[in-house]
Amino acid sequence: MSRLRKRKHSIPGLNTSSLPDLIFTVLFFFMIVTHMRSVPLKVRYQVPEGTELTRLVKKSTVTYIYIGKPFGSEETRIQLNDKLADVDAVAPYVKREQASMLSEDNENMTVSIRADKGTQMGIINDVKQQLREAEAYKINYSAINK
């Protein structure tokens, strides 16, 4: 009769020597891929309300134009990136943004106008005219749900 011997099996420990390399590789990947862009607002605007709203799909192709009153002023101004500008600066700004995008993204470029709800339509029409000159025909107006 043979006896069964019980062997004590031990599970080897997990080798974690390459774990820091893996963590830093993933961290660097996300740091490179993530596009963090924040524009400090120099104009104040109260977003208008709307009922038929849709979300933008690809936000990397969106260029924002802020229209409102600068802090401490009562004159309506236009903010392009982080600078206050006149209406005549909109077309060159949009053309520069188009030039900085990839060629396939140029076709999908959307200009999002974030205007104060008290902004006069004359200013918005002037901005739209400048967008036509820059051949930016996709325009989005930012609003919140009612």
Side-chain angles (χ1 to χ4, degrees), residues 5 8 11 30 53 57 71 86 95 98 123 136:
R5 294 185 185 173
K8 293 189 177 184
I11 299 174
F30 284 115
L53 304 178
V57 178
F71 298 105
D86 293 324
K95 287 182 181 180
Q98 286 175 335
I123 296 171

Side-chain angles (χ1 to χ4, degrees), residues 69-89:
K69 296 179 181 172
F71 298 105
S73 176
E74 291 302 317
E75 178 188 355
T76 301
R77 295 294 305 268
I78 299 169
Q79 180 180 342
L80 305 172
N81 276 343
D82 59 347
K83 296 179 183 163
L84 295 176
D86 293 324
V87 175
D88 297 334

Side-chain angles (χ1 to χ4, degrees), residues 7-138:
R7 291 186 188 173
K8 293 189 177 184
H9 293 285
S10 64
I11 299 174
L14 184 62
N15 185 4
T16 60
S17 61
S18 64
L19 192 59
D21 295 336
L22 180 66
I23 290 172
F24 283 117
T25 303
V26 172
L27 177 68
F28 287 137
F29 171 77
F30 284 115
M31 286 174 59
I32 291 171
V33 172
T34 303
H35 180 69
M36 299 179 80
R37 179 179 178 189
S38 65
V39 176
L41 288 179
K42 295 186 178 183
V43 296
R44 60 178 188 252
Y45 70 97
Q46 189 174 6
V47 181
E49 296 177 348
T51 56
E52 302 295 322
L53 304 178
T54 58
R55 288 201 178 273
L56 293 172
V57 178
K58 193 173 182 183
K59 293 198 178 197
S60 64
T61 61
V62 178
T63 300
Y64 294 99
I65 296 177
Y66 300 94
I67 303 173
K69 296 179 181 172
F71 298 105
S73 176
E74 291 302 317
E75 178 188 355
T76 301
R77 295 294 305 268
I78 299 169
Q79 180 180 342
L80 305 172
N81 276 343
D82 59 347
K83 296 179 183 163
L84 295 176
D86 293 324
V87 175
D88 297 334
V90 172
Y93 166 74
V94 171
K95 287 182 181 180
R96 277 193 311 271
E97 290 291 315
Q98 286 175 335
S100 68
M101 288 185 181
L102 299 173
S103 61
E104 61 267 5
D105 288 343
N106 276 340
E107 301 166 0
N108 299 325
M109 180 181 173
T110 304
V111 177
S112 180
I113 297 177
R114 292 186 169 187
D116 184 57
K117 70 180 184 180
T119 302
Q120 296 177 355
M121 280 304 294
I123 296 171
I124 294 177
N125 285 334
D126 292 343
V127 169
K128 286 172 52 176
Q129 187 64 35
Q130 289 288 313
L131 293 174
R132 283 187 201 110
E133 290 178 17
E135 298 177 2
Y137 300 117
K138 289 185 181 180

